[in-house]
Amino acid sequence: MLIKYELIKKDRTSRARLGLITTPHGQFATPVFMAVGTQGTVKTLIKEELEAIGAEIILGNTYHLWNQPGPDIIKQAGGLHRFMNWDRSLLTDSGGFQVFSLANIRDITEEGVSFKHHKNGDRLFLSPEKSIEIQNALGADIIMAFDECPPYPSSYEYMQQSVERTLRWAKRSQDAHQNKTTQGLFGIVQGGEYLDLRKHCAESLVAMDFDGYSIGGLSVGEPKTIQNHVLAFTTPLLPENKPRYLMGVGSPGAILDAVERGIDMFDCVLPTRIARHGSAMTTHGRIIIKNKQYENDFSPLDHHCDCYTCRYYSKAYLRHLFKAEEMLAYRLLSIHNINFLLRLTENIRQAIKEDRFLEYKQQVYRDYGLHFSDKDF
Amino acid sequence: MLIKYELIKKDRTSRARLGLITTPHGQFATPVFMAVGTQGTVKTLIKEELEAIGAEIILGNTYHLWNQPGPDIIKQAGGLHRFMNWDRSLLTDSGGFQVFSLANIRDITEEGVSFKHHKNGDRLFLSPEKSIEIQNALGADIIMAFDECPPYPSSYEYMQQSVERTLRWAKRSQDAHQNKTTQGLFGIVQGGEYLDLRKHCAESLVAMDFDGYSIGGLSVGEPKTIQNHVLAFTTPLLPENKPRYLMGVGSPGAILDAVERGIDMFDCVLPTRIARHGSAMTTHGRIIIKNKQYENDFSPLDHHCDCYTCRYYSKAYLRHLFKAEEMLAYRLLSIHNINFLLRLTENIRQAIKEDRFLEYKQQVYRDYGLHFSDKDF
């Protein structure tokens, strides 16, 4: 296997697991959080900053890079790694999620999806073959099969048809994949909240032998209880010796819930997006930096944090930058928020090592101000 | 003198001079270019980046910091140095230039200027005492007297009255200055294109014994020939043992012209402003990064440049970032452009050392594509 997953240790108090993933560009421990570099950059940041906070793998978005600058340019540059100056591990999604969430006037057929681009209105067509062709040009270490991601709720009948199509598309993705010696391909389990469909999808994909598996179609508006239920049901259906990836999840509570149920990999725009809106994740919950109370608060965002932002800048300065609409505000808050999630996953790994994952989860919930009954946080 | 200027060497081919300025926060060679940190940040950049490109002194703008976050907050933080995490030399302007160029409905009296803030419309009043009070709270190493900066052209009669008022305001600035042991105060020579007024203003200010002198009221729309003429006339009127500062000038050609006439210090938003508009200064002139020709140009902005941006990123990537409206574009272009001007002044200093300033100037003009007859570049 090109993407090697080594199971290091299971937590005794939950299904949480400590692992080690090896890709052509490096090795990293799991559970891991991956920052998102949508358009070939983790917004506002450079490689050295991401490395300093311990980012070992980041994401690029096929949908966005397909449009701008286009896969040909990136291929000519020697691939996305070289184009964006990132030499650690890299993952690209299939573009499917953006097609289903951003684009307009979709038309889904057996062949693929035709749609209008959400910004320029261009008429586009994405299929398993096209998605893999683009991802092959981008050259990330891990690429994703092209799947359909139906909204929540969807009827059982629709979901059943959709899962069958997603399975056929998974096979076509596999067949289209040209760089089997340099890029690993993950399959995506769909099926909504219908456990029998999840089971059928998972088992069929496992039989196709992917490098890893993602659980898709979650975080699309369903209640948290359903998300956790589907995760608890689905992860045991996946092979122990392959990575398990929950796409689009990045809140501290949801990461903890999913790790508890056996997930290894996460990605989300949350830390950079809320940074641009002036929010910071801290040990004691989220703070909104523009609030008047921070006007002359010369302490760091989080006393427990060792990130660059917390070492050198006060809340008062960050508030000033945000109010003055200075881009440095978004940059410094992004560093802090990504660091927060990377420290969270680091602490999770340590807790698994010491068989106290559930205890650690409870502590984070309490400190962060979460409740076990929260629907969303 | 708190701000010490040491004349190291004069160029034999021009009035260019090599010097060394010492402030409470460090020492730097002149001619020097100072990047502008308008709102307490050189837009998008942090200290380490500015240090890496050799920035020894930067600017803060009194007008902007007065409004947001306000001098009280910055004073409570321990001054602007500590607030913004900058421990090298720092200079603040008086706020006068912004009042005269940005604000609306000005009313100039002997006491000061009342005006409406250009953003929030607040009714404000700035006087020599108020400007110095704010600058004392900010605590920069070098602060500026509050002057009137009349537009070009202004009548001789108006300019004559204005110069007299600027001289009275200079005296009041001096009297209001509370931190004489920690902050040096510069006087500003006004007088427009009228050489006798320049002479009168310069001699009167010199008699008042400031820590340094700025030549103000230039770069306000007058032809380049007038600017150079006024500079050539005015600098010899200033003491040899004090720094000479030309405010608001940052294009390569204008810097060279002014150094030739004896100027030591420059500041300008040009390198960061054109970065935000996607322009880069290079050895062979300015380039506009969004141009189609750079779409698959994988070479750096400037082969002669050693900045971070040129070391790691191609024109194709920068073009992509700019087209995708990624903030990293502005950041990487700002690093490059500030570095360009700091290398220019470094080369100027070397040329003075070797008595070949004029030769160096000619070379830059030729390489950059400037002509000696250019009105503005």
Side-chain angles (χ1 to χ4, degrees):
Chain A
M1 273 294 158
L2 184 67
I3 306 299
K4 195 180 145 207
Y5 175 83
E6 192 186 339
L7 176 60
I8 305 287
K9 184 183 178 310
K10 293 187 195 177
D11 177 63
R12 283 203 203 130
T13 66
S14 68
R15 288 235 198 86
R17 53 190 220 153
L18 183 71
L20 191 66
I21 293 180
T22 309
T23 82
H25 281 83
Q27 214 169 45
F28 52 88
T30 58
V32 68
F33 176 78
M34 306 182 281
V36 180
T38 306
Q39 303 187 108
T41 157
V42 176
K43 286 191 190 304
T44 77
L45 303 183
I46 56 170
K47 183 180 85 141
E48 288 77 2
E49 283 159 330
L50 292 165
E51 287 178 353
I53 54 184
E56 299 281 356
I57 174 169
I58 62 173
L59 238 79
N61 284 123
T62 291
Y63 176 88
H64 295 283
L65 293 168
W66 177 25
N67 170 56
Q68 168 61 46
D72 289 350
I73 300 289
I74 295 179
K75 192 173 184 175
Q76 277 180 59
L80 185 55
H81 277 97
R82 203 187 284 186
F83 186 60
M84 70 184 288
N85 188 35
W86 175 254
D87 46 26
R88 296 187 176 180
S89 300
L90 194 54
L91 184 152
T92 50
D93 60 8
S94 69
F97 183 78
Q98 282 74 23
V99 168
F100 290 102
S101 61
L102 290 178
N104 302 312
I105 320 178
R106 296 183 291 277
D107 186 21
I108 308 172
T109 65
E110 181 62 24
E111 185 52 25
V113 190
S114 65
F115 59 96
K116 280 195 179 165
H117 191 268
H118 74 292
K119 270 192 185 164
N120 59 26
D122 281 359
R123 192 91 211 158
L124 294 167
F125 183 76
L126 201 55
S127 63
E129 290 76 15
K130 185 73 196 169
S131 169
I132 298 297
E133 182 194 324
I134 300 169
Q135 293 187 77
N136 280 171
L138 301 180
D141 301 277
I142 299 174
I143 66 176
M144 304 300 297
F146 185 70
D147 62 332
E148 185 188 350
C149 183
Y152 176 86
S154 292
S155 71
Y156 184 86
E157 289 65 34
Y158 185 86
M159 194 61 83
Q160 191 168 31
Q161 285 178 14
S162 169
V163 161
E164 292 303 334
R165 185 163 45 214
T166 280
L167 287 170
R168 290 188 296 272
W169 285 2
K171 180 71 173 63
R172 282 167 54 192
S173 297
Q174 235 175 11
D175 292 344
H177 184 24
Q178 297 293 313
N179 302 338
K180 294 199 166 72
T181 60
T182 53
Q183 300 183 275
L185 177 64
F186 280 25
I188 303 178
V189 181
Q190 292 287 353
E193 75 269 39
Y194 308 109
L195 301 186
D196 61 325
L197 299 182
R198 288 280 177 185
K199 184 163 192 283
H200 170 60
C201 192
E203 287 174 348
S204 307
L205 289 171
V206 170
M208 291 161 68
D209 195 24
F210 284 88
D211 291 276
Y213 297 90
S214 170
I215 300 181
L218 293 177
S219 270
V220 292
E222 77 284 1
K224 185 185 144 193
T225 45
I226 290 189
Q227 179 171 141
N228 284 336
H229 192 56
V230 169
L231 283 177
F233 175 81
T234 310
T235 55
L237 305 173
L238 300 173
E240 268 215 332
N241 64 342
K242 299 273 175 82
R244 302 161 184 171
Y245 169 23
L246 178 57
M247 303 177 86
V249 162
S251 75
I255 288 177
L256 287 160
D257 281 357
V259 165
E260 183 182 353
R261 290 161 180 84
I263 294 293
D264 306 308
M265 300 167 70
F266 300 90
D267 80 282
C268 197
V269 295
L270 184 83
T272 43
R273 178 168 292 166
I274 68 172
R276 294 197 302 283
H277 294 119
S279 267
M281 293 185 261
T282 78
T283 309
H284 297 288
R286 268 205 217 176
I287 68 173
I288 297 166
I289 200 62
K290 74 166 174 229
N291 285 352
K292 179 86 176 162
Q293 71 188 103
Y294 303 121
E295 191 179 29
N296 57 0
D297 182 338
F298 300 108
S299 68
L301 286 171
D302 189 342
H303 279 294
H304 300 280
C305 179
D306 64 344
C307 81
Y308 175 79
T309 305
C310 287
R311 256 180 294 145
Y312 296 115
Y313 300 97
S314 64
K315 293 194 201 74
Y317 182 67
L318 295 168
R319 177 181 191 269
H320 159 65
L321 290 181
F322 188 78
K323 294 214 25 141
E325 296 176 14
E326 284 286 352
M327 287 185 266
L328 187 58
Y330 319 132
R331 178 177 167 193
L332 293 175
L333 289 172
S334 292
I335 289 175
H336 172 82
N337 285 339
I338 297 173
N339 183 74
F340 182 86
L341 291 180
L342 293 182
R343 292 298 76 73
L344 176 77
T345 43
E346 190 176 47
N347 292 335
I348 286 173
R349 295 193 298 266
Q350 189 60 34
I352 297 172
K353 219 176 261 177
E354 297 165 7
D355 285 317
R356 52 173 185 81
F357 172 78
L358 278 189
E359 195 187 311
Y360 176 68
K361 176 187 163 180
Q362 195 171 44
Q363 181 202 319
V364 174
Y365 261 66
R366 195 175 49 234
D367 290 346
Y368 205 78
L370 300 172
H371 300 286
F372 282 91
S373 58
D374 272 0
K375 283 214 311 217
D376 195 7
F377 40 89
Chain B
M1 272 293 159
L2 184 68
I3 306 299
K4 195 178 143 208
Y5 175 82
E6 192 186 339
L7 176 60
I8 305 286
K9 183 181 179 313
K10 294 188 196 176
D11 178 60
R12 282 201 204 135
T13 66
S14 68
R15 289 236 197 83
R17 52 189 222 154
L18 184 70
L20 192 66
I21 293 180
T22 310
T23 82
H25 281 82
Q27 214 168 45
F28 52 88
T30 59
V32 69
F33 175 79
M34 307 182 281
V36 180
T38 306
Q39 303 188 109
T41 157
V42 176
K43 287 191 190 302
T44 76
L45 303 183
I46 55 170
K47 184 180 82 140
E48 287 77 2
E49 283 159 331
L50 293 165
E51 287 177 353
I53 54 183
E56 298 282 354
I57 173 168
I58 61 173
L59 237 79
N61 284 123
T62 291
Y63 176 88
H64 296 282
L65 294 168
W66 177 24
N67 170 57
Q68 169 62 45
D72 290 351
I73 300 288
I74 295 179
K75 192 175 184 172
Q76 277 180 60
L80 185 55
H81 278 98
R82 203 188 282 185
F83 186 59
M84 70 184 287
N85 187 35
W86 176 255
D87 46 27
R88 296 187 177 180
S89 300
L90 194 55
L91 183 151
T92 50
D93 61 7
S94 70
F97 182 77
Q98 281 73 26
V99 169
F100 290 102
S101 61
L102 290 179
N104 301 312
I105 322 179
R106 296 183 290 278
D107 186 20
I108 307 171
T109 65
E110 183 61 25
E111 185 51 25
V113 190
S114 65
F115 60 96
K116 280 195 178 164
H117 191 270
H118 74 291
K119 271 192 186 164
N120 60 26
D122 282 359
R123 191 91 212 159
L124 294 165
F125 183 76
L126 201 57
S127 63
E129 290 75 16
K130 185 72 196 169
S131 169
I132 299 297
E133 181 194 325
I134 299 168
Q135 293 187 77
N136 280 171
L138 301 181
D141 301 278
I142 299 174
I143 66 176
M144 304 300 297
F146 185 70
D147 62 333
E148 185 187 350
C149 183
Y152 175 87
S154 292
S155 71
Y156 184 85
E157 289 64 36
Y158 186 85
M159 194 60 83
Q160 191 168 29
Q161 284 178 16
S162 169
V163 161
E164 292 304 332
R165 186 163 44 215
T166 281
L167 287 171
R168 290 188 296 272
W169 286 2
K171 180 71 174 62
R172 281 167 55 191
S173 296
Q174 235 175 10
D175 292 345
H177 184 25
Q178 297 292 313
N179 301 338
K180 294 201 167 71
T181 59
T182 52
Q183 300 182 276
L185 177 65
F186 279 25
I188 303 177
V189 181
Q190 291 286 353
E193 75 268 40
Y194 307 111
L195 299 185
D196 61 324
L197 298 182
R198 287 281 177 185
K199 183 164 195 278
H200 171 59
C201 192
E203 288 174 347
S204 305
L205 289 171
V206 169
M208 291 162 68
D209 196 24
F210 283 88
D211 292 275
Y213 297 90
S214 171
I215 299 181
L218 293 178
S219 270
V220 292
E222 77 285 0
K224 186 186 144 194
T225 46
I226 290 190
Q227 181 173 138
N228 284 336
H229 193 55
V230 169
L231 283 177
F233 176 82
T234 310
T235 54
L237 304 172
L238 300 173
E240 268 215 332
N241 64 343
K242 300 274 175 80
R244 302 159 184 172
Y245 168 23
L246 179 57
M247 304 177 84
V249 163
S251 76
I255 288 177
L256 287 159
D257 281 356
V259 165
E260 183 181 354
R261 291 161 179 84
I263 295 293
D264 307 308
M265 300 168 68
F266 300 89
D267 81 279
C268 197
V269 295
L270 184 83
T272 43
R273 179 168 292 164
I274 68 173
R276 296 196 301 284
H277 294 119
S279 266
M281 292 185 263
T282 78
T283 309
H284 297 289
R286 269 204 215 175
I287 68 173
I288 296 166
I289 199 63
K290 74 166 176 231
N291 285 352
K292 178 86 175 163
Q293 69 188 103
Y294 303 122
E295 191 178 30
N296 57 359
D297 182 339
F298 302 108
S299 68
L301 285 171
D302 189 342
H303 279 294
H304 301 280
C305 179
D306 64 345
C307 81
Y308 175 79
T309 305
C310 287
R311 257 180 293 145
Y312 296 115
Y313 300 97
S314 65
K315 292 193 201 73
Y317 182 67
L318 294 168
R319 178 182 190 268
H320 159 65
L321 291 181
F322 189 77
K323 294 214 25 141
E325 296 177 13
E326 283 287 352
M327 285 185 267
L328 188 58
Y330 319 133
R331 179 177 168 194
L332 293 175
L333 289 172
S334 293
I335 288 175
H336 173 82
N337 285 339
I338 296 173
N339 183 74
F340 182 85
L341 291 180
L342 293 181
R343 291 301 74 73
L344 176 76
T345 44
E346 191 177 47
N347 293 336
I348 286 173
R349 295 193 298 267
Q350 189 61 33
I352 298 172
K353 221 176 260 177
E354 297 166 6
D355 285 317
R356 51 172 185 82
F357 173 78
L358 279 189
E359 196 187 310
Y360 176 67
K361 178 186 162 181
Q362 196 171 42
Q363 182 202 319
V364 174
Y365 260 66
R366 195 176 46 233
D367 291 346
Y368 204 78
L370 300 171
H371 300 286
F372 282 91
S373 58
D374 272 2
K375 284 216 310 219
D376 196 8
F377 41 88

